[in-house]
């Protein structure tokens, strides 16, 4: 699932010029390129946690937070904008070219294709701590990549609307 959403983002890259990737409607709104960078960086961090679970045999009896339980039951984030606290909200990179973003998505996709079947078979009681969501096992980290990436489809629609207004 995560791979399918990443593939859609990769296909969409061809529709943007370098200028469009970096365009910011205001200083506090990300560019499309920054959104891509954020998606990739977060997915890489979550893949690191998948690997941490896969490399461990230490079981954890604690689980997800109440919010995360609801998130997984719903199958995704609510259709709202989520803003992290400033100390966790460093602006993403806005300098990568379309080719660099495409390469990064390809590398991430290759990594996830390797990890996904391992996560499916992993011990569900071996978990790693997410600072906001509680303890997640390898399969849940994989699912969180997909949910987080899919959540940004709405942001992509908003940013494309800004681009159309910019060019009209």
């Amino acid at each position: 699932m995560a791979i399918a959403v990443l593939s859609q983002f990769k296909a969409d890259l061809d529709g943007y010029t370098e200028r469009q990737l970096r365009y910011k409607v205001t200083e506090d709104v990300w560019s499309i390129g920054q959104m891509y960078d954020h998606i990739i960086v977060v997915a890489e961090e979550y893949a690191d946690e998948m690997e941490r679970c896969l490399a461990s045999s230490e079981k954890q009896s604690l689980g997800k937070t109440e919010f995360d339980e609801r998130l997984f039951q719903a199958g995704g984030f609510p259709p709202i904008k989520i803003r992290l606290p400033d100390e966790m909200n460093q602006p993403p990179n806005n300098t990568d070219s379309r080719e660099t973003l495409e390469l990064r998505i390809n590398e991430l996709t290759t990594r996830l294709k390797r990890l996904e079947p391992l996560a499916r078979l992993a011990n569900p009681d071996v978990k790693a701590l997410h600072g906001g969501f509680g303890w997640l096992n390898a399969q849940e980290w994989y699912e969180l990549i997909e949910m987080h990436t899919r959540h940004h489809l709405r942001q992509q629609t908003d940013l494309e609307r800004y681009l159309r207004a910019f060019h009209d």
Side-chain angles (χ1 to χ4, degrees):
M1 250 334 223
I3 293 167
V5 180
L6 286 167
S7 295
Q8 180 60 52
F9 274 106
K10 180 183 167 191
D12 292 345
L13 265 176
D14 287 336
Y16 305 123
T17 66
E18 297 294 328
R19 185 174 176 196
Q20 289 173 325
L21 280 175
R22 290 184 183 85
Y23 175 73
K24 291 174 57 97
V25 65
T26 64
E27 197 51 44
D28 63 336
V29 173
W30 290 351
S31 68
I32 289 175
Q34 285 177 298
M35 179 195 67
Y36 271 80
D37 179 72
H38 169 75
I39 290 167
I40 296 165
V41 166
V42 169
E44 289 287 359
E45 290 173 1
Y46 291 177
D48 290 346
E49 298 302 331
M50 287 173 67
E51 288 184 334
R52 185 183 323 280
C53 292
L54 293 169
S56 177
S57 59
E58 186 177 331
K59 295 180 181 178
Q60 172 56 255
S61 60
L62 296 175
K64 298 184 277 294
T65 62
E66 184 181 329
F67 175 81
D68 202 36
E69 285 289 352
R70 289 196 311 267
L71 181 80
F72 275 81
Q73 286 171 0
F77 287 87
I80 58 171
K81 291 183 179 182
I82 298 171
R83 180 165 171 84
L84 295 173
D86 286 341
E87 62 273 8
M88 297 174 63
N89 201 22
Q90 295 302 311
N93 179 10
N94 197 26
T95 62
D96 279 356
S97 67
R98 186 173 54 229
E99 291 76 22
T100 300
L101 290 169
E102 189 172 322
L103 177 66
R104 290 174 65 201
I105 291 173
N106 287 342
E107 290 170 350
L108 174 60
T109 300
T110 299
R111 185 180 184 196
L112 293 177
K113 283 179 181 175
R114 177 179 58 79
L115 290 174
E116 192 271 336
L118 300 173
R120 240 184 302 116
L121 299 173
N123 184 334
D125 295 323
V126 176
K127 303 172 186 176
L129 181 63
H130 182 289
F133 296 143
W135 292 90
L136 307 176
N137 64 40
Q139 181 63 36
E140 291 165 334
W141 282 105
Y142 181 81
E143 292 171 19
L144 190 57
I145 292 170
E146 189 274 335
M147 288 188 279
H148 175 259
T149 303
R150 185 168 27 95
H151 173 74
H152 284 281
L153 289 169
R154 287 185 290 275
Q155 181 184 21
Q156 181 184 27
T157 300
D158 290 345
L159 294 174
E160 287 175 347
R161 191 171 41 250
Y162 299 145
L163 282 179
R164 283 192 298 279
F166 171 68
H167 290 294
D168 289 346

